[in-house]
C-alpha cells in the first residue's frame, strides 16, 4: 500500500498537534521555485491564538528535524489557522461556524446564503436573511443536501450585544 507524503506527514504530526489541544485541519506541501513549503493548518473549538500557533510550530519543527519526513532538501514550515473564508468539510467545522453567515452550494444545484443557528448529527438549522426589507426565514438543511459550504466575511454585522443595547 503506497502512501503519499501528505499522508505520512499527517500520521507523524497529527498526534503532536492533538497533544497541544488543536485539530490538524490540513497539510500541504508546495514547491515554490527551488524551495519547498510545508503548510500546516490547525484549529480548535476555541480558536488558536498566536501563542498556541507559535508553540505548535516549535513542536512540529522539532519533530520534523528529528525525522527524515521532509527529506534532505530545504523547506519552510508555515503553521496557521484556516482563515476567515474557510471551507466547511467536517462536522466540527459546522459547529465552529454557528452564528456565521455561510454560502452553500447545494447538491441539487443552486446556492443558498444563510446563517447557521444550530448543528446536530443530521444537518443544520439555518436563518435565511430576508431580501429587500423582508423578514428572515428558517430552513433545515441536511448534510447530504450540501455539496460545498464556505464561511462568508461580514463587514457590517452588528454584534448581538450592540443589538440588545
Amino acid at each position: 500500500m503506497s502512501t503519499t507524503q501528505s499522508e505520512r506527514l499527517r500520521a507523524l504530526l497529527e498526534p503532536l498537534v492533538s497533544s497541544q489541544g488543536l485539530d490538524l485541519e490540513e497539510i500541504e506541501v508546495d514547491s515554490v521555485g527551488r524551495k519547498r513549503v510545508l503548510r500546516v493548518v490547525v484549529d480548535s473549538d476555541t480558536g488558536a491564538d498566536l501563542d498556541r500557533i507559535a508553540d505548535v510550530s516549535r513542536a512540529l519543527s522539532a519533530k520534523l528535524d528529528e525525522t527524515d519526513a521532509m527529506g534532505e532538501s530545504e523547506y519552510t514550515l508555515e503553521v496557521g489557522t484556516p482563515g476567515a473564508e474557510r471551507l466547511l468539510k467536517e462536522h466540527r467545522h459546522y459547529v465552529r461556524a454557528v452564528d456565521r453567515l455561510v454560502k452553500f452550494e447545494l447538491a441539487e444545484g443552486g446556492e443558498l446564503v444563510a446563517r447557521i443557528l444550530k448543528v446536530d448529527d443530521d444537518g443544520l438549522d439555518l436563518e435565511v436573511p430576508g431580501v429587500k426589507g423582508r423578514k428572515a426565514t428558517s430552513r433545515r438543511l441536511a448534510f447530504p443536501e450540501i455539496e460545498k459550504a464556505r464561511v462568508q466575511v461580514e463587514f457590517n454585522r452588528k454584534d448581538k450585544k450592540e443589538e440588545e443595547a
Side-chain angles (χ1 to χ4, degrees), residues 47-66:
D49 63 21
L50 289 177
D51 290 335
R52 288 179 83 186
I53 297 290
D55 290 344
V56 79
S57 181
R58 282 189 289 275
L60 294 178
S61 181
K63 185 67 158 180
L64 290 165
D65 286 349
E66 70 185 38

Side-chain angles (χ1 to χ4, degrees), residues 24-50:
L24 178 59
E25 297 293 351
E26 207 174 299
I27 290 181
E28 182 181 330
V29 181
D30 281 332
S31 293
V32 182
R34 291 186 191 170
K35 295 184 180 183
R36 292 183 307 148
V37 178
L38 170 58
R39 289 187 184 88
V40 178
V41 178
V42 297
D43 201 6
S44 78
D45 290 343
T46 58
D49 63 21
L50 289 177

Side-chain angles (χ1 to χ4, degrees), residues 88 91-102 114-120 123-126 151 154 157 160:
L88 306 178
H91 186 272
R92 69 178 180 266
H93 299 163
Y94 289 96
V95 171
R96 291 174 186 162
V98 166
D99 204 36
R100 303 287 307 270
L101 197 64
V102 176
R115 188 169 310 284
I116 299 177
L117 300 176
K118 183 180 170 194
V119 180
D120 60 35
L124 314 168
D125 289 338
L126 305 173
V151 171
E154 294 181 83
R157 179 156 189 235
K160 283 183 178 181

Side-chain angles (χ1 to χ4, degrees), residues 129-144:
V131 180
K132 296 183 182 177
R134 293 191 177 134
K135 279 189 159 188
T137 57
S138 296
R139 177 164 178 185
R140 176 79 181 163
L141 197 59
F143 287 117

Side-chain angles (χ1 to χ4, degrees), residues 1-18:
M1 179 173 114
S2 170
T3 58
T4 65
Q5 183 180 24
S6 291
E7 289 168 338
R8 288 190 307 271
L9 286 168
R10 179 172 286 278
L12 176 70
L13 302 180
E14 194 158 32
L16 190 55
V17 172
S18 294

Side-chain angles (χ1 to χ4, degrees), residues 78-90:
E78 294 179 359
V79 180
T81 58
E85 291 186 350
R86 72 182 64 184
L87 192 60
L88 306 178
K89 297 178 182 177
E90 308 281 337

